[in-house]
Amino acid sequence: MKGCRAAACVAVVVALSACGTTVHDAQIAAGTSAGSGLGAPGPWSQTGSGTASAPGFGATGAGSASGATVNAPGAPTTSGAAPASNVGAGAAPSGSGGGPIRVGFETIQGGNAFIAQGLGTPVNFGNGHEEVTGIVDDINKHGGVNGRKIQPFFGDWNPTSGDSGRESDCTAMTEDDKVSFIITVVNISASYVACAARHHVPIINASLGAGDDYLYKQYPLWFYSPSLLSLNTEEALVLTSGRASGRVKPSDKLGVLIDNTSNDPQYGRVLTTTVEPLLRSWRIPFETSSVATQADVNGAVLHFRADGVKTVLFIAPSGIIEILFMEAAENQGYRPDYILGDSAAPWFVGQAAPAAQVQHVTGAGSLPMSDVPASQYPTTPQEQHCFNVIRAAGEDNRNRQSSITATVYCQAAYEFVAIASHASGALTPASFYASYAGVRSFTPISTFAINFGDGRHTSASEYRTLGYTQRCQCISYTSSLLPVSV
């Protein structure tokens, strides 16, 4: 890989769910941090104690959660959360007054050049400032949050700075700009959530990869990803889907490949708390391998092949490690089955991995941007509205993959407005938390449906199975909508 450490590229590319770039020369640099990635998620409409609606969209839609339980999640008890009685104390003044709501937006600067130099192919992260400006102007034009306008501030993250750069941006937005909320479309790291929690500022995240269940339980007041599945739920869903299709069965050994390019403990926790217990309960033989270097990937392929592994599961939210594994497997004449979920970026894998390997891909997903080419899932009216308001600010996108960030910013911003507009009394972290489960009508952009009333902060509620399709010679959806029940 020219001029770019693969692990650093993972931070950006996969973060953004791959843009059709190729990574045939990519290598994972030993000991480097994978950093954080970005992901994806529309206009909103919701009813409740506060009312907000975007023009042209009714109160119900694919994302309606009208049948959801109204009970708010239980009071936080974990050490990472401040007591509910104290959560307002650390919030910026704008959160509870009648003036503009100060909202920080994390953007990616220099990502296009960074990836083009490292991978040799162009990537478009879009212009974060133009995208956010168009979205915020649209929200403010239509009433803001119960009459209060949003005032945007920017934390411009350069991927070359890694997690330390993100934490510095978080500190600047919370301490200098005194924002009351942060909206991000970059995949979450534990350190970024911890920074926001220290400053009593909630994060609303819409990306291609959520955190694991532990993070949401540790920071219930400060961390929300309504349009996503947690990493635990995603892996359980992929395994359950694989079992139903016959790719996960007691007669065949399964290999689990784990991303070890960073110090983030999420992936190991998902293995021990979700993947291993499920496989043992189903009596599925399995072995695991952690990878941090290209040599690790090559070794995993060698061992999986020698040990008769028939199906491979990844706990590696990026797509890059998946592609590197498939390239090494093809070089060794090894073609197992693969089961992938949203955070593995199946669409990206389908574009960049060897065709003979891609033909063995199946899985399950809830994010069209991450799962399939734009041609395989139509642009919805909500997503088109997103493109229209961003175009008014200067950026013209043909579809959800023209800019990796456009659709996601819309998703996160409109989610924030739907939740905040439903809050009772002053808008504080506590009232925002309490209002989450009461949102009853919301039409998402990036996912199929959201059930805010499920008591989780990762509330995507429907998915489709996916796999290689000969008709388009690409990854496409292979089922109708199914409920997330794992």
Side-chain angles (χ1 to χ4, degrees), residues 371-450:
D371 297 338
V372 299
S375 62
Q376 297 302 300
Y377 189 77
T379 297
T380 63
Q382 291 74 30
E383 191 172 45
Q384 188 58 57
H385 177 80
C386 173
F387 298 153
N388 291 344
V389 299
I390 290 174
R391 184 180 301 113
E395 180 177 288
D396 192 5
N397 295 303
R398 298 185 309 278
N399 58 51
R400 69 182 64 95
Q401 288 156 356
S402 298
S403 164
I404 299 295
T405 52
T407 301
V408 252
Y409 276 127
C410 284
Q411 179 70 40
Y414 292 128
E415 284 173 345
F416 165 72
V417 174
I419 300 165
S421 295
H422 191 73
S424 177
L427 180 58
T428 66
S431 66
F432 188 86
Y433 172 87
S435 71
Y436 183 92
V439 176
R440 276 295 174 273
S441 248
F442 183 88
T443 305
I445 295 180
S446 64
T447 191
F448 303 121
I450 297 175

Side-chain angles (χ1 to χ4, degrees), residues 109-316:
Q109 300 298 319
N112 293 357
F114 182 66
I115 295 302
Q117 180 183 8
L119 300 180
T121 53
V123 169
N124 184 23
F125 290 95
N127 184 315
H129 284 240
E130 288 183 350
E131 291 171 352
V132 169
T133 297
I135 295 163
V136 169
D137 285 350
D138 178 60
I139 291 171
N140 289 340
K141 179 181 177 180
H142 294 95
V145 177
N146 293 334
R148 296 179 61 191
K149 292 186 177 182
I150 292 175
Q151 183 178 0
F153 296 84
F154 295 96
D156 296 328
W157 175 60
N158 190 307
T160 61
S161 68
D163 282 345
S164 62
R166 293 188 74 191
E167 188 165 353
S168 295
D169 293 338
C170 165
T171 300
M173 285 192 290
T174 53
E175 294 184 5
D176 299 337
D177 298 327
K178 300 190 182 303
V179 301
S180 297
F181 296 87
I182 291 175
I183 288 176
T184 181
V185 295
V186 182
N187 284 356
I188 286 296
S189 66
S191 62
Y192 195 71
V193 180
C195 171
R198 285 196 305 271
H199 294 89
H200 289 185
V201 174
I203 291 176
I204 298 86
N205 167 48
S207 64
L208 298 190
D212 72 328
D213 287 343
Y214 177 87
L215 277 184
Y216 295 94
K217 292 176 181 177
Q218 185 181 25
Y219 300 108
L221 289 169
W222 318 115
F223 189 20
Y224 303 83
S225 303
S227 61
L228 304 178
L229 303 170
S230 75
L231 291 177
N232 300 76
T233 300
E234 176 189 322
E235 297 294 353
L237 188 66
V238 169
L239 282 170
T240 301
S241 176
R243 189 184 187 205
S245 69
R247 303 240 175 160
V248 177
K249 54 188 177 182
S251 60
D252 293 337
K253 182 177 285 187
L254 183 138
V256 184
L257 201 71
I258 306 147
D259 181 357
N260 194 33
T261 58
S262 73
N263 295 320
D264 199 314
Q266 295 184 83
Y267 312 134
R269 289 196 299 253
V270 171
L271 174 68
T272 58
T273 61
T274 296
V275 173
E276 288 182 342
L278 268 181
L279 294 177
R280 290 192 177 107
S281 71
W282 295 341
R283 301 176 185 266
I284 306 296
F286 68 93
E287 63 180 85
T288 65
S289 181
S290 295
V291 299
T293 68
Q294 182 68 61
D296 292 340
V297 173
N298 295 339
V301 171
L302 182 64
H303 289 303
F304 282 4
R305 181 185 182 190
D307 295 342
V309 168
K310 301 294 186 183
T311 301
V312 178
L313 171 75
F314 297 89
I315 309 178

